[in-house]
Amino acid sequence: MSARVLVVDDERQIRRALKEALVDEGYSVVAAESGEEALRLFDLVPPDLTILDLGLPGMTGLEVCRAIRERSRLPILILSVRATERDKVAALDSGADDYLSKPFGMEELLARVRAHLRRWRETPEPERQVQVGDLRLDFDARVVTLRGEEVKLTRTEYEVLRYLVSNAGRVVTHGMILQHVWGPAYEEDVQSLRVHVAHLRRKIEPDPARPRYLLTEIGVGYRFVLPG
Amino acid sequence: MEKARQRRSPLAYALAAGYVGAGTLALYLLRGELDRPHAALLYLLAVVVTATTAGSGPAILAAVLSFLAWNFFLLEPVFAFHLSQARDWLTLSVFLIVALVVGELAGKARERAAEAEARLREISRLNEERQRLTEEAAKVSELRAADEFKTALLSAVSHDLKTPLASIMASISNLQRQRALRGGSADEQETLAAIDQETKRLSALVSDLLDLSRLESGAWKPVREWYDLADILGTVLGRLDDATAARVRLDLPDDLPMVPVDGVQIAQVLWNLLDNALKYSPAAEPVTVTGRVEEGRLRVEVADRGPGVPVEERERVFQRFYRPSQRGDEKVPGTGLGLAICRGLVEAHGGRIWAESREGGGSRFVFDLPSAWPEGAAREGKAA
């Protein structure tokens, strides 16, 4: 069965163009022009993924995002002209998985939709073992290997990596990582997070100066990318 | 205090002698009318007047002079001094005590008056200051309102320009995909490609213009955090396709310290400089990015093997809408705003940016920024 995508945008032309592209890709599409309508549709015909605009009349995009998160962990992709880092962090903290700013590349958007649907379908539960290129992570044994050789990680590096990998494909904010790994009191310590990520890259990236897996979203956080 | 000191000047003493002299003259004119005790009262008056107007010192002089005059002119035998009797000493003592007590009291009263006057002046100064501050606060809040208005206006304009552009770009991309599936004429393909290219150009121009307005209106201030330059560069390179990214060589020391910058803004500076360098350099030539922290400044160079920038254009390249003088037939696409934005962003960080020629051909764009946290800059941990 084809995946269903819920498109929420108050601009008719954007809804039309998105619907056309998504239908061409084989998805079934439900469209809403307000947050209230989106939530009604979400309950009526539950989608597999939501593409959500932030600047909506009535209920704001962020409120819709939080309301969807109360119902489900299904992927939410924000598509908005509001593209400052503050907007992005607010959306991600409200439960969004990813963010694209308008005007956007349709191919880029379709690629992200595919990636999130694949991640969601293949790994509805956190995996115990992950293979990323030459890198293998075994969460049960707490062992990370690169081309068969064990990589020595500090406890903090391991925890940061584990959090990023278990959220692979999603953008996670500095605050989320710090809160998860260090605890709520350390939410502001972005500087030390950067140091740990730099060390981690030296240990797991083929070329740490040009990261492949552990990507920086400047001013927002990080994204761990699974190839494919 | 100033007044009290003035009253002790020679003039004050002369005044004391004058009062006593005037008292004596009055007695001379009224001679025969007054008896001695009343005459003494007249001298006492001279002492009191001196004490109240001129202070203790002149008052003591007045007391002594009054006593002598009273003694000389009024006591039998007249026109001679005599200090033999107890009453003479008593008179002198009374004059002196009155002089001291009244002089002291008057001095205190004058000090109080001076203090009160000073306090009044201080109050009126404070009032003026308060009024000035109120006016300034009003100005600041006016400016802030204007700033907020500009920001709101920019974000509204930004929304209204970007939304239709987003629809157009999405529709073009749908048309191109559908055409690729069902086929179509070469003309159709060319027309679509032209629309696509020009729309992207328009979109880039809108984005650059909005960035420049945000910068110039002061609505886009750097939000500093400690950043790793290598991290920013890695992210910028990630936006290039693999083949283009492979043309960039990085020369950064492993121990390059973190620097306090707005990561998004410095990423944009690096992106604009790299984009230019890659556009103007022959495809076979690498573009080199060098980063160093020396003497409290971060210095970053982006060096290419392009045609170079003539000396006379080195300053102009950073002006808005500057386009390089045409070389050959090929026109390099661009908005003419990239370097102006770079300069705005670098200067907002308290830095400098300039162009140099590179030995062996090509140009080098260099910027340097303070590598220490600037005094007074907000210490925001989060990208808020």
Side-chain angles (χ1 to χ4, degrees):
Chain A
M1 204 187 88
S2 72
R4 185 183 294 129
V5 178
L6 171 61
V7 173
V8 192
D9 202 306
D10 60 330
E11 289 289 328
R12 192 172 64 85
Q13 294 302 340
I14 297 273
R15 284 200 306 276
R16 186 195 53 72
L18 283 175
K19 195 169 180 176
E20 201 174 308
L22 290 164
V23 167
D24 282 352
E25 285 285 299
Y27 301 112
S28 69
V29 178
V30 191
E33 56 184 298
S34 72
E36 291 80 357
E37 189 187 358
L39 291 180
R40 260 199 314 278
L41 284 173
F42 192 95
D43 294 333
L44 202 66
V45 273
D48 298 290
L49 180 141
T50 303
I51 298 175
L52 178 63
D53 183 19
L54 288 183
L56 295 171
M59 214 178 163
T60 69
L62 290 184
E63 288 165 350
V64 178
C65 202
R66 284 191 285 267
I68 291 179
R69 271 292 161 265
E70 281 168 19
R71 293 162 161 79
S72 149
R73 286 179 49 229
L74 290 167
I76 302 173
L77 203 162
I78 302 292
L79 186 63
S80 173
V81 287
R82 280 157 57 182
T84 68
E85 283 52 49
R86 193 197 298 228
D87 293 325
K88 292 181 189 177
V89 169
L92 296 165
D93 282 343
S94 299
D97 294 275
D98 204 349
Y99 202 109
L100 261 182
S101 52
K102 289 179 189 167
F104 58 99
M106 189 61 90
E107 298 312 314
E108 174 73 18
L109 176 84
L110 293 174
R112 301 252 184 123
V113 167
R114 275 194 297 275
H116 284 292
L117 281 173
R118 193 179 56 237
R119 170 179 68 82
W120 176 246
R121 285 180 165 174
E122 288 173 5
T123 57
E125 294 301 317
E127 282 179 293
R128 308 315 307 162
Q129 291 186 345
V130 178
Q131 180 83 36
V132 186
D134 293 335
L135 192 69
R136 185 173 180 79
L137 296 100
D138 185 332
F139 292 140
D140 287 328
R142 295 178 75 89
V143 170
V144 177
T145 53
L146 186 66
R147 278 175 241 104
E149 299 264 323
E150 186 177 343
V151 184
K152 293 277 178 219
L153 298 181
T154 64
R155 202 193 70 83
T156 307
E157 286 162 6
Y158 175 80
E159 290 301 331
V160 170
L161 182 63
R162 191 166 95 131
Y163 184 68
L164 286 167
V165 171
S166 42
N167 285 286
R170 299 180 66 193
V171 181
V172 285
T173 62
H174 299 129
M176 290 177 185
I177 306 173
L178 287 165
Q179 187 165 12
H180 183 86
V181 177
W182 279 268
Y186 297 87
E187 239 183 286
E188 303 289 318
D189 198 3
V190 179
Q191 196 182 344
S192 62
L193 174 59
R194 280 194 231 284
V195 174
H196 286 288
V197 168
H199 290 165
L200 205 45
R201 281 198 180 119
R202 276 181 211 150
K203 293 178 181 179
I204 65 163
E205 289 280 0
D207 180 359
R210 298 157 195 255
R212 291 266 152 201
Y213 308 133
L214 209 171
L215 306 189
T216 296
E217 299 278 333
I218 298 178
V220 177
Y222 298 98
R223 180 207 300 265
F224 196 90
V225 180
L226 294 175
Chain B
M1 290 311 281
E2 193 61 28
K3 260 189 181 165
R5 211 173 300 129
Q6 273 173 3
R7 295 294 168 97
R8 257 172 245 132
S9 66
L11 189 70
Y13 289 95
L15 202 65
Y19 286 143
V20 177
T24 308
L25 187 66
L27 279 174
Y28 175 74
L29 295 173
L30 295 167
R31 62 187 177 278
E33 304 273 326
L34 289 174
D35 57 3
R36 280 200 323 254
H38 287 101
L41 279 179
L42 202 61
Y43 279 116
L44 203 56
L45 181 67
V47 172
V48 169
V49 169
T50 309
T52 42
T53 57
S56 306
I60 288 168
L61 178 68
V64 173
L65 288 178
S66 296
F67 170 73
L68 291 176
W70 181 71
N71 192 297
F72 191 76
F73 293 113
L74 291 160
L75 279 193
E76 297 289 339
V78 291
F79 304 125
F81 292 114
H82 31 84
L83 279 168
S84 52
Q85 295 188 27
R87 60 152 201 225
D88 302 334
W89 289 107
L90 182 73
T91 311
L92 177 59
S93 306
V94 169
F95 278 12
L96 284 174
I97 289 166
V98 169
L100 279 171
V101 170
V102 175
E104 194 63 26
L105 285 176
K108 275 194 183 142
R110 267 196 307 276
E111 265 172 39
R112 293 270 151 74
E115 274 170 24
E117 210 173 303
R119 231 171 273 148
L120 258 175
R121 273 198 305 273
E122 179 69 9
I123 286 169
S124 97
R125 196 187 62 76
L126 284 175
N127 248 329
E128 278 166 27
E129 181 78 352
R130 192 183 58 85
Q131 197 172 345
R132 195 179 59 76
L133 286 175
T134 312
E135 279 164 18
E136 260 173 35
K139 256 184 238 160
V140 166
S141 98
E142 252 173 57
L143 280 178
R144 190 173 301 148
D147 252 12
E148 277 168 15
F149 174 72
K150 270 187 266 178
T151 309
L153 184 69
L154 271 170
S155 102
V157 169
S158 163
H159 179 271
D160 290 351
L161 287 172
K162 286 180 174 176
T163 301
L165 269 172
S167 304
I168 296 169
M169 282 168 73
S171 303
I172 294 168
S173 141
N174 285 347
L175 270 178
Q176 283 182 319
R177 198 183 46 256
Q178 285 155 10
R179 211 205 68 86
L181 288 176
R182 67 170 157 77
S185 72
D187 275 358
E188 211 180 285
Q189 185 182 1
E190 213 173 291
T191 307
L192 263 180
I195 298 174
D196 184 42
Q197 198 185 321
E198 293 305 294
T199 311
K200 280 179 180 148
R201 203 154 74 97
L202 182 60
S203 174
L205 185 62
V206 164
S207 164
D208 279 359
L209 273 174
L210 287 171
D211 281 351
L212 204 61
S213 333
R214 277 205 294 159
L215 250 175
E216 289 183 353
S217 69
W220 197 19
K221 295 187 180 73
V223 179
R224 288 180 176 83
E225 281 183 57
W226 289 102
Y227 266 99
D228 185 356
L229 180 71
D231 194 3
I232 299 179
L233 261 170
T235 311
V236 170
L237 291 179
R239 295 180 201 160
L240 298 167
D241 62 75
D242 286 356
T244 313
R247 285 175 61 199
V248 181
R249 285 201 189 141
L250 298 179
D251 175 10
L252 305 174
D254 277 345
D255 59 352
L256 194 72
M258 289 205 184
V259 282
V261 296
D262 181 319
V264 176
Q265 295 190 346
I266 294 306
Q268 176 149 5
V269 172
L270 287 167
W271 170 260
N272 289 358
L273 293 181
L274 262 178
D275 187 48
N276 272 350
L278 290 164
K279 270 194 307 205
Y280 289 102
S281 245
E285 293 285 354
V287 165
T288 308
V289 184
T290 312
R292 296 281 183 278
V293 169
E294 275 162 5
E295 289 166 10
R297 299 192 73 88
L298 164 74
R299 183 187 164 101
V300 181
E301 301 181 2
V302 178
D304 64 51
R305 289 288 180 208
V309 184
V311 182
E312 66 275 12
E313 291 191 26
R314 268 180 212 158
E315 196 44 42
R316 268 196 287 148
V317 292
F318 292 101
Q319 288 172 4
R320 275 169 283 172
F321 298 110
Y322 168 86
R323 305 289 294 135
S325 38
Q326 208 80 7
R327 279 187 201 82
D329 299 331
E330 207 182 344
K331 192 170 177 241
V332 180
T335 61
L337 293 172
L339 287 175
I341 292 173
C342 283
R343 170 160 279 179
L345 291 173
V346 167
E347 286 178 353
H349 276 80
R352 297 165 297 184
I353 184 165
W354 66 94
E356 296 174 350
S357 68
R358 189 183 182 192
E359 46 297 339
S363 51
R364 187 161 41 213
F365 284 82
V366 188
F367 67 89
D368 81 346
L369 314 169
S371 64
W373 198 281
E375 267 179 52
R379 226 168 242 279
E380 279 191 78
K382 293 181 108 178

